[in-house]
Every structure is written in structure tokens, then in C-alpha cells.
Amino acid sequence: EAGVAQSPRYKIIEKRQSVAFWCNPISGHATLYWYQQILGQGPKLLIQFQNNGVVDDSQLPKDRFSAERLKGVDSTLKIQPAKLEDSAVYLCASSLDRTGNTIYFGEGSWLTVV
Amino acid sequence: AQKVTQAQTEISVVEKEDVTLDCVYETRDTTYYLFWYKQPPSGELVFLIRRNSFDEQNEISGRYSWNFQKSTSSFNFTITASQVVDSAVYFCALSEPGRGADGLTFGKGTHLIIQP
């Protein structure tokens, strides 16, 4: 069974530029998450989707971050404009549904903002 | 207040020693889930175990074992006869699906170093 796929794996941009990350969850998984992991810290939830609807975006910095999952499968996370403090690994994860099932993570997209 | 506390920032042991990673959590929900993940240098979070709040049975999987104690709000992880390949950062995490969203709250992680 294929795991959670993410791209790109690595991205370096200058501050104030924009960047987009793509995620394809495990087939059949209705719930999709985006996490931000800053070096030396645990991952922090940014947004959770159930199919194509948002169920939790309380920690998403909405002035610069946006995410969508239009057809309830793939998702895109965008940062515009990027700040130095956005340098982190962006992890996508998925689970069958939002009732405490096991959450599986992708390899992450490493962002460096210079 | 932190919902998940991993007080050990870094642990270093010699191969074949046993090692226990501590995890203390905080929640007001009666239904919740606890997880452990391993993060090797490659960066991917590897699922190790999921435990629901109604199941306090300890679990053993090969050299890994977990001790869940609701009375002390702890979910500790023990590696027996450690190996160099166990070197990684280990995260404990809490899920509280009662509010309709079950995103994980992670601890800060424990960096485990197994020396040959």
C-alpha cells in the first residue's frame, strides 16, 4: 500500500516569496492533516480536513498560510509571503477518519527561507 | 500548560542496555488516544503504537513495550536490549476526538542515542 506522498522534498526561497506544497494521502483516507515542525520541536497541527471540508484550522496563520483540498483527495498548502520563521518541515498526514484512528505521515517537505 | 510532556530531552545509552522514555499527558476528555512515533534522521514520522483511554493493558511488541497508567497520566515507552538502529527522536502524542477534530498534540520529543 502506498504511503502519504509529498512534494517537493526540499525548497529554498527568499523571504516574501511564495511556495506551495502538495500532498497525496493514503488511498481511502478521508482525513488529511498538515503539520509544521520547526527544528528541535514536535510537530504542530496547522489544519485538518475531513474530505474537502476544514474541521480545524485554529493554528493556521491565515494572514499568510492557506490550504485547500478541493476534491477531497490531494491537498495543497501555500505560504505567501514567506517569513524567515516559516523555515520548517511541513508534514502531511492522513487517517481513515477523525475518530482517533492511526495517523500516517509522509516524509515531509523541508522549507528554508533565506 | 503543556498537554504532552516529555521531560527527557536527550538520553544516551550503550547498546544492549534497556531504556525508558517518559511521557506525561493532560486532558479533561474521557475518550482520548495516545501515540508514539519514531523520527529517524530522514525525517519521516514512523508510527509505533496507538492506545485508547479505555485500554490500560500494557503492550509488548518485540523489544518494545509500553506502560499506560491513567492514575498518573503517563504512557511510557521501554526499549529492551537497545540497538544502534533505535537511535532517533521519539515523540509521544495525544488525540482528543471529542471536539470533532482529532489532530495530534505532540510532546517536544526525546532524542535517543544508542552508542555501539
Side-chain angles (χ1 to χ4, degrees):
Chain A
E1 181 181 273
V4 178
Q6 291 188 244
S7 68
R9 279 283 276 150
Y10 304 94
K11 191 76 175 178
I12 301 174
I13 62 172
E14 295 183 351
K15 59 183 179 184
R16 291 187 289 275
Q17 286 187 325
S18 63
V19 63
F21 301 112
W22 172 84
C23 173
N24 181 245
I26 293 173
S27 178
H29 280 194
T31 309
L32 185 147
Y33 314 79
W34 283 102
Y35 287 82
Q36 178 194 58
Q37 186 177 18
I38 293 172
L39 187 65
Q41 298 182 18
K44 182 186 83 171
L45 178 69
L46 292 176
I47 190 167
Q48 177 179 349
F49 291 95
Q50 179 70 15
N51 296 310
N52 60 350
V54 175
V55 295
D56 186 359
D57 63 356
S58 56
Q59 299 189 87
L60 185 74
K62 298 180 183 66
D63 58 334
R64 297 182 301 105
F65 286 65
S66 65
E68 60 183 16
R69 193 185 184 200
L70 293 177
K71 296 182 179 179
V73 180
D74 294 5
S75 177
T76 303
L77 175 71
K78 296 180 182 177
I79 307 174
Q80 182 179 13
K83 292 186 175 181
L84 296 177
E85 58 260 37
D86 298 332
S87 295
V89 179
Y90 291 86
L91 295 159
C92 182
S94 70
S95 69
L96 279 172
D97 59 39
R98 52 176 168 151
T99 57
N101 278 289
T102 299
I103 299 174
Y104 297 95
F105 286 81
E107 291 185 313
S109 292
W110 299 60
L111 174 66
T112 301
V113 182
V114 298
Chain B
Q2 278 188 301
K3 284 200 167 187
V4 180
T5 302
Q6 294 181 256
Q8 305 148 310
T9 304
E10 184 175 289
I11 300 175
S12 181
V13 300
V14 177
E15 197 172 21
K16 296 183 185 176
E17 288 186 7
D18 299 348
V19 59
T20 296
L21 283 59
D22 298 333
C23 174
V24 174
Y25 63 93
E26 177 184 333
T27 179
R28 294 181 179 178
D29 291 0
T30 55
T31 301
Y32 54 90
Y33 297 83
L34 295 163
F35 297 76
W36 275 95
Y37 286 86
K38 174 182 179 180
Q39 189 172 47
S42 61
E44 183 176 0
L45 280 163
V46 178
F47 167 76
L48 295 177
I49 189 170
R50 166 179 169 267
R51 172 68 70 203
N52 76 55
S53 53
F54 299 106
D55 182 3
E56 285 193 74
Q57 276 195 331
N58 292 329
E59 181 155 340
I60 298 174
S61 176
R63 296 183 297 107
Y64 295 170
S65 63
W66 290 269
N67 182 267
F68 177 28
Q69 291 195 344
K70 289 177 74 171
S71 60
T72 56
S73 296
S74 65
F75 187 43
N76 297 337
F77 172 32
T78 298
I79 302 175
T80 303
S82 61
Q83 300 177 1
V84 173
V85 294
D86 296 327
S87 297
V89 179
Y90 290 85
F91 290 97
C92 180
L94 169 70
S95 170
E96 300 163 288
R99 56 189 176 88
D102 68 338
L104 296 171
T105 300
F106 284 84
K108 293 185 177 181
T110 297
H111 184 197
L112 178 62
I113 302 168
I114 310 297
Q115 299 182 24

